[in-house]
Amino acid sequence: MLQKVFILAVSVVTIFGCNNDVEKEMPSTNSNVWFQEPHRPQIHFTPQANWMNDPNGMVYYDGEYHLFYQYYPDSTVWGPMHWGHAVSTDLVHWEHLPIALYPDSLGYIFSGSAVVDHNNSSGLGKDGKPALIAIFTHHDAEGEKAGRNDFQYQSIAYSNDKGRTWTKYEGNPVVPNEKPIRDFRDPKVIWDEMHQQWLMVFAAADRVMFWTSNNLIDWKNTGEFGADVGGHGGVWECPDLFPIQVKETGDTKWVLLLSINPGGPNSGSATQYFVGDFDGNQFTLDPSFVRKVENGRGEWIDYGRDNYAGVTWSDLPRSDHRKIFLGWMSNWDYAQVVPTKNWRSAMTVPREITLHFEDEYYLTFNPVKELKTLYKSEKPDFVGELGKTKISVANPSHIELELPDGKRGGWQLTFSNDKGEEYSLSYDRETNLFSSDRRKSGATAFSEKFAAAVHTGKRASQNYNIPLDIYLDHASIEIFADNGRTVFTEIFFPESPYTTMELRGVEGDVVVHALQSIWEK
Ligand code: FRU
């Protein structure tokens, strides 16, 4: 399959020409160098070639997890947006499929979501089988250039063949931009079981809007949220609103994820969240959460700089009660200039979201258990104490640590290669802050914003050991501290992958598992 898609990509490039250098640098069709280039992630989804940003339309249907994504097939920088497409049967290994949605007379295909229309409420199903419905923003670049304000609106497309081919609905857009509002985009739709309706949330300037429907075609605006709440340092994008059970009490609350660019806790793009209730029309913050977001402060899903525009999967099998999240592992501050050759950007690993209540509501994000199927062997590569000597680690690998909270001051955990390049995470007990430092991580000169500062995140508790769950790859690290309460997702570009790990300040227990590449056949 990979090969087929690639031949198609090359012939399209050859027929229509290509105004950049990518074509010349592409390996030939029968070469096996794909996914082995410098900085190519080994356990993260990447497109075979060219530009990718937000994950879109994540939906599970008939044994397949679909991943669509913002894609520009003609260059390694952002351009007229398409929806790229891949499928997986295990959330770990991905098969690249042909582009699902192309720009059309209504505009580029911006971010959005997809659902299974189980009851054929739209009438777009066929032969008794439900349609897959994609809901996305049409972005009219011409209109924008002409200085209009109504250049974004919500449209739908449907598929009757497991997402392989798509037809745009002839009555598009289904949510025109009447007011108009300049930033009016990124619809995320769910079936709202509690209120028996389709529910759409999207970003509209400095707030989000809620719209409901019985058939995915006719929509009614029921409410909005956020004009004076949370972080407002930039434009609001890619919201996701969903109900979730509170782990400790079994109650149901509603969570709103919201990306913002710029204005993140460590600058640039980042994703904040809110916990509250939804009455079928309006979202209200839980009173206990109001305190948390007073003074324009946000609560953030990640304190690293490379987790943006993430949303959750639709229609997981009924037996799977998880909420599974995937983010774009980059940052608009530098995404278009990172030093990768044939492609740009990767996705985070899929993460399970849990809502907790202990004095207050908070979310945890943890890597999905499916990733453990990548273990090269059940027996760990290393089990023991870390602290006195450096140890070698495989890359990619999964590393679990249990560290004291550092009563004597703190600790520093460093990953390095033999070129003297390194990434470190440290913890300072005095300030109770984690610091993530990629200033000497490898190539950094491509953007002044990439390695200008360390990235900090406050630890929520103290006086307990700190468990760290880490996924290390050639060009990224994802650190889930305190069972996913504080997360750091960071990309980097060392000359060779990090294969040494060292701990200073304390001693702690470590288990390392080498991982297989997801592209290994
Ligand atoms: C977020 C975003 C979305 C938009 C898309 C365009 O990264 O700006 O708001 O739909 O990217 O590619």
Side-chain angles (χ1 to χ4, degrees), residues 112-166:
S113 49
V115 292
V116 183
D117 185 10
H118 285 290
N119 295 328
N120 199 21
S121 66
S122 62
L124 297 169
K126 207 171 139 191
D127 303 332
K129 291 228 178 83
L132 282 178
I133 311 276
I135 309 97
F136 57 89
T137 299
H138 258 128
H139 171 96
D140 169 18
E142 301 285 309
E144 184 185 24
K145 241 187 255 153
R148 301 171 63 106
N149 287 328
D150 60 354
F151 56 88
Q152 295 183 337
Y153 26 83
Q154 322 318 332
S155 292
I156 65 175
Y158 57 98
S159 169
N160 301 115
D161 58 358
K162 296 184 72 176
R164 284 356 187 230
T165 60
W166 291 83

Side-chain angles (χ1 to χ4, degrees), residues 53-54 70 78 81 110-111 137 185-186 236-238 308-309 328 332:
N53 55 293
D54 315 356
Q70 288 287 277
W78 192 90
M81 284 288 111
F110 269 23
S111 285
T137 299
R185 60 174 178 269
D186 307 338
W236 281 21
E237 301 182 316
C238 300
Y308 192 62
W328 174 44
W332 281 115

